[in-house]
Amino acid sequence: QLQLQESGPGLLKPSETLSLTCTVSGGSISSNSYYWGWIRQPPGKGLEWIGTIYYSGSTYYNPSLKSRVTISVDTSKNQFSLKLSSVTAADTAVYYCARRSSVAGTLYFDYWGQGTLVTVSS
Amino acid sequence: EIVLTQSPGTLSLSPGERATLSCRASQSVSSSYLAWYQQKPGQAPRLLIYGASSRATGIPDRFSGSGSGTDFTLTISRLEPEDFAVYYCQQYGSSRYTFGQGTKLEIK
């Protein structure tokens, strides 16, 4: 059974850089069938896609966050990571990593990590 | 950016009733790129429907999806107690993914 697990600091100060890692177990991140993504959810609010990465390193970012986001992959560790620079209180959210699958041309996120709360506060 | 608007914001129903949740897009969306998720408090979203109408693995057949173009619907034929949750639609278009704001399905 595929599992994804987010890890990283839960408390940041404004202007710092958020760094999270998603460890994938029960399957290979290097499969050519999948992309890997980050999605966040501010407390009590809806979901926002941050970006996705392919095992080759190809990335796609939400234009609204693109200037501050970097997603990278480490196939040797079966992990992918998120960096979000210059955080503010508006970046306080539960951050999820997820697998993006495609069957017969469809696109969807089918496996999700449990999520990790990141709070930005001085 | 394609904006997804879900309605109603909150739906109050009783177990055994039928639930109809709407997701309307600001411009046409490929049915292949429309998915529905269920989220319970403190949990990650769970994929229910992909390709607008295909049920994900392990999803009961009381859940069904339909629609095309700008109007999509998630139907739960007979509500079970475990179905009360928040539901999100999601689309892919113009190289980005967007989610609706969610519909909260609560017990009446």
Side-chain angles (χ1 to χ4, degrees):
Chain A
Q1 176 78 345
L2 189 78
Q3 292 186 322
L4 293 84
Q5 178 69 57
E6 306 89 350
S7 59
L11 181 62
L12 293 173
K13 291 182 167 52
S15 80
E16 291 185 334
T17 296
L18 178 157
S19 293
L20 296 175
T21 296
C22 182
T23 301
V24 179
S25 58
S28 174
I29 203 170
S30 299
S31 170
N32 59 11
S33 300
Y34 309 113
Y35 278 70
W36 306 90
W38 289 97
I39 295 142
R40 69 180 183 178
Q41 185 172 36
K45 296 188 178 180
L47 299 161
E48 179 181 34
W49 170 70
I50 300 170
T52 53
I53 190 166
Y54 194 52
Y55 78 94
S56 63
S58 298
T59 52
Y60 302 87
Y61 298 139
N62 187 327
S64 67
L65 298 169
K66 187 174 183 177
S67 64
R68 297 193 292 131
V69 172
T70 302
I71 297 176
S72 58
V73 63
D74 187 337
T75 55
S76 66
K77 295 182 179 178
N78 229 31
Q79 295 175 334
F80 62 105
S81 299
L82 169 69
K83 290 189 185 300
L84 181 65
S85 64
S86 305
V87 298
T88 69
D91 295 309
T92 293
V94 174
Y95 285 76
Y96 295 101
C97 59
R99 185 181 81 172
R100 201 233 59 197
S101 292
S102 176
V103 171
T106 61
L107 299 174
Y108 49 88
F109 295 97
D110 57 350
Y111 283 90
W112 296 64
Q114 65 186 26
T116 187
L117 175 62
V118 177
T119 302
V120 180
S121 174
S122 56
Chain B
E1 174 188 352
I2 297 176
V3 176
L4 298 178
T5 302
Q6 293 186 239
S7 61
T10 301
L11 185 57
S12 300
L13 294 170
S14 301
E17 292 192 293
R18 180 185 186 90
T20 303
L21 287 66
S22 173
C23 176
R24 180 160 292 176
S26 59
Q27 55 187 280
S28 186
V29 170
S30 169
S31 295
S32 295
Y33 298 161
L34 196 288
W36 290 92
Y37 301 84
Q38 176 194 68
Q39 187 178 36
K40 296 180 179 179
Q43 296 184 16
R46 172 195 183 196
L47 176 69
L48 297 175
I49 301 288
Y50 64 93
S53 60
S54 297
R55 271 188 303 276
T57 303
I59 300 303
D61 60 7
R62 64 179 181 273
F63 290 90
S64 63
S66 62
S68 63
T70 59
D71 289 300
F72 297 89
T73 301
L74 175 69
T75 301
I76 310 172
S77 59
R78 291 177 310 281
L79 286 166
E80 296 288 341
E82 61 268 27
D83 299 336
F84 292 91
V86 179
Y87 292 83
Y88 294 95
C89 56
Q90 170 249 308
Q91 69 83 37
Y92 173 80
S94 302
S95 300
R96 66 188 295 180
Y97 301 84
T98 56
F99 292 85
Q101 85 280 14
T103 289
K104 181 180 182 180
L105 179 56
E106 64 176 25
I107 300 176
K108 187 174 182 180

